[in-house]
Amino acid sequence: MSAVSAPEPAYRLDEQVGFVLRQVQQRHTGIFAAAFGDDMTPTQWSALVRLAEAGECSQNHLGRLIATDVATIKGIADRLIRRGLVETRADPADRRRLLLRLTEAGHDAYRTRAATALDVSSETLAPLSKTEQATLLRLLDRLR
Amino acid sequence: MSAVSAPEPAYRLDEQVGFVLRQVQQRHTGIFAAAFGDDMTPTQWSALVRLAEAGECSQNHLGRLIATDVATIKGIADRLIRRGLVETRADPADRRRLLLRLTEAGHDAYRTRAATALDVSSETLAPLSKTEQATLLRLLDRLR
DNA sequence: TGCAGATTGTTAGTACACTAACGATCCGGG
DNA sequence: CCCGGATCGTTAGTGTACTAACAATCTGCA
């Protein structure tokens, strides 16, 4: 036996990206829920924001804007509609399409809670310095 | 009006941790599924690994080891049992407890697929240099 | 000893996320 | 003009993740 350490790398769960990533996300959704309460989830919020930016767009297109597939965006849209934040109309130019847009209540929710959403991001990143926060976001962005 | 820029910070969805985090995780689970196939999820894999390390433990304790609550770990354990990777027995010292341990097939799965799991982590982090990968993991670890 | 409070596992309900399949509609090329 | 392929939205099925409630059991303290 040589004194050189074994070549097979140990599998340490706590050092695997996926495992750590999942826990960071758990912490983030916890912070989000504490700030927003039961009536809004991170995904619903991102749909709301994108709809505020885009003005009006089809259901599937909104899904692409927030990186959810067609089955998932349907559920999200349904819940936002049920809560009166989004309304729909048929696309006059394409009978397959369902156009979505914010209601007045939806616009209000966007305006009044954007500051809270910024706080959630701040609190999530709070354990890091400003420089570290910027580094993390830059690196994560490249893994998207 | 002064010439100083407006104090209200813009809310840019693409720069919020939670939004980026979700997409990185999506990419990771996609890579994992491509490598492992339909019969194993990242969460199931982490339960398997922890059980290989811990030897035998109660269901709730395993949940704490992989950061899932009691309701979630039950579903994960049930599926691992159904697939013959885990078996159970009653704890003779505490009649509330259900002890879990790997079957022979479970040990095999752990041994034969650890290298694949390492590949998944590598591929997830591939867009970054080794130094950047280490930086990212160090920063993420502090946000857990 | 005996009871209060904690822990263990289960179930029901909600939300996100993906695959696969489906009918309706649209569009472009022959 | 028509037909094949693409896109749109819907549904069913599976898995992860959380809350809340519950019965059974255990533990510590009066």
Side-chain angles (χ1 to χ4, degrees):
Chain A
M1 287 300 200
S2 96
V4 177
S5 61
E8 43 179 88
Y11 184 79
R12 278 187 285 270
L13 194 54
D14 291 286
E15 296 171 10
Q16 308 305 310
V17 229
F19 188 67
V20 179
L21 225 36
R22 194 180 116 248
Q23 289 171 75
V24 175
Q25 190 138 23
Q26 277 176 1
R27 177 164 162 274
H28 172 262
T29 50
I31 293 169
F32 189 99
F36 274 80
D38 286 350
D39 59 332
M40 183 77 69
T41 66
T43 314
Q44 285 170 26
W45 172 251
S46 62
L48 204 72
V49 172
R50 281 286 195 247
L51 221 38
E53 293 167 359
E56 184 178 47
C57 65
S58 78
Q59 185 176 283
N60 280 5
H61 184 58
L62 179 59
R64 286 189 291 270
L65 291 176
I66 61 168
T68 75
D69 66 299
V70 294
T72 302
I73 189 61
K74 166 151 181 63
I76 295 162
D78 284 352
R79 287 182 282 274
L80 289 173
I81 291 163
R82 176 154 49 86
R83 285 162 202 183
L85 302 175
V86 167
E87 59 190 2
T88 64
R89 66 184 182 100
D91 186 336
D94 187 339
R95 288 197 289 164
R96 295 168 305 175
R97 285 208 175 100
L98 189 65
L99 295 176
L100 307 184
R101 68 173 165 228
L102 293 184
T103 60
E104 208 37 63
H107 280 292
D108 277 355
Y110 172 60
R111 281 189 295 263
T112 62
R113 305 183 101 165
T116 304
L118 284 173
D119 288 345
V120 170
S121 292
S122 290
E123 192 176 339
T124 301
L125 294 171
L128 306 181
S129 72
K130 289 292 170 199
T131 310
E132 290 169 333
Q133 294 180 13
T135 302
L136 180 74
L137 284 174
R138 187 174 50 76
L139 296 178
L140 281 178
D141 194 64
R142 287 166 56 199
L143 298 185
R144 247 196 281 198
Chain B
M1 286 302 192
S2 94
V4 176
S5 60
E8 43 181 88
Y11 185 79
R12 280 186 283 271
L13 193 54
D14 291 286
E15 295 171 9
Q16 308 306 309
V17 229
F19 188 68
V20 179
L21 225 37
R22 196 180 113 247
Q23 289 171 73
V24 175
Q25 190 137 20
Q26 277 175 2
R27 176 162 161 276
H28 172 262
T29 49
I31 292 169
F32 189 100
F36 274 80
D38 286 351
D39 59 332
M40 183 77 69
T41 65
T43 314
Q44 286 170 23
W45 172 250
S46 61
L48 204 73
V49 172
R50 281 287 195 244
L51 221 37
E53 294 167 358
E56 184 177 47
C57 65
S58 78
Q59 185 176 282
N60 280 5
H61 184 57
L62 180 59
R64 286 190 290 270
L65 291 176
I66 61 168
T68 74
D69 65 300
V70 294
T72 303
I73 190 60
K74 167 153 181 61
I76 294 161
D78 284 351
R79 287 181 283 273
L80 289 173
I81 292 164
R82 176 155 46 85
R83 286 164 202 182
L85 303 174
V86 167
E87 59 190 2
T88 64
R89 67 184 182 100
D91 186 336
D94 187 339
R95 287 196 289 164
R96 296 169 305 176
R97 285 207 175 99
L98 191 65
L99 295 177
L100 307 184
R101 68 174 163 227
L102 293 184
T103 60
E104 209 36 63
H107 279 292
D108 278 354
Y110 172 59
R111 280 189 296 264
T112 61
R113 305 183 101 166
T116 304
L118 284 173
D119 288 345
V120 170
S121 292
S122 289
E123 191 176 340
T124 301
L125 293 171
L128 306 181
S129 73
K130 290 293 170 198
T131 310
E132 289 169 333
Q133 294 180 13
T135 303
L136 180 73
L137 284 174
R138 187 174 50 78
L139 296 178
L140 281 177
D141 194 64
R142 287 165 58 200
L143 297 185
R144 251 198 279 198

